[in-house]
Amino acid sequence: MKKILVLSASPVKDGNTTTLVNWFAEGARSEGARVDIVATAFLKYKTTGCTSCRRCQAIKEYACVVKDEASPVLAKMAEVDVIVMASPLYFFGASAQLKLVMDRMFCLYKWDNAAGTMTTPLKGKRLILIASAYEDVGLDALEKPFVLTADYSGMSFESLLVPHAGESGDVKTRAAIRERAVELGRRAAQDE
Ligand SMILES: Cc1cc2nc3c(=O)[nH]c(=O)nc-3n(C[C@H](O)[C@H](O)[C@H](O)COP(=O)(O)O)c2cc1C
């Protein structure tokens, strides 16, 4: 059984991101996957993102030293088979509500700069990006850091990018997009 963690990062509770994530989860669960969805906009954080304290680099565990509601999410990222990041396009990038957690993934890497090495429990996992936008300009820019992060971390990468998704909630009427999201979920639940 594949374990899938979804970071759903819109502040809109029933908008396009939530709809796409729910369709994805429907597909993945139909293939027997366990899907946990975390709405990152509604977690309680003690810091605004990573504070660059670097203290995670001095401990053995792959864990952020700041203990708040991001802690179990970061721990789960190290455990699951598939990590899904879902975001609306905000000014040609991912939402701040995703970056608040994503930057704290710093603790999931250990760097030895003298030896020039990096280790991470993310290696070998799958990263999936789901993103939507009102227009058709900018989703490629949003996608780029996720492609680079996956490559850097030794993860495979796949995305579902939905331009012309309209305003929050509009995507609900798009049967073709629904089919693509469900199918992506089904594939995520299967071996690569
Ligand atoms: C703060 C903000 C910034 C946005 N910036 C863009 C943008 O640069 N390009 C675009 O096409 N849509 C932009 N949008 C529209 C959303 O990306 C789009 O409607 C998305 O599907 C909303 O997803 P949601 O319902 O999950 O929040 C923006 C919306 C907001 C609220």
Side-chain angles (χ1 to χ4, degrees), residues 128-156:
I128 294 176
L129 170 70
I130 297 175
S132 66
Y134 186 83
E135 312 222 14
D136 65 352
V137 179
L139 283 170
D140 52 342
L142 183 156
E143 184 183 44
K144 192 78 196 228
F146 295 88
V147 173
L148 293 170
T149 298
D151 189 45
Y152 179 71
S153 312
M155 305 170 84
S156 68

Side-chain angles (χ1 to χ4, degrees), residues 98-143:
L98 182 57
K99 288 287 281 176
L100 282 173
V101 177
M102 198 176 167
D103 289 349
R104 286 176 63 185
M105 287 170 65
F106 196 82
C107 71
L108 298 179
Y109 301 80
K110 299 283 185 212
W111 287 274
D112 183 337
N113 289 337
T117 59
M118 178 278 284
T119 54
T120 176
L122 299 174
K123 190 174 176 183
K125 299 184 191 294
R126 294 164 76 172
L127 179 64
I128 294 176
L129 170 70
I130 297 175
S132 66
Y134 186 83
E135 312 222 14
D136 65 352
V137 179
L139 283 170
D140 52 342
L142 183 156
E143 184 183 44

Side-chain angles (χ1 to χ4, degrees), residues 10-12 15-18 88-92 132-137 165-169:
S10 171
V12 181
N16 294 338
T17 305
T18 304
L89 181 71
Y90 279 0
F91 292 97
F92 311 107
S132 66
Y134 186 83
E135 312 222 14
D136 65 352
V137 179
E167 295 181 12
S168 293

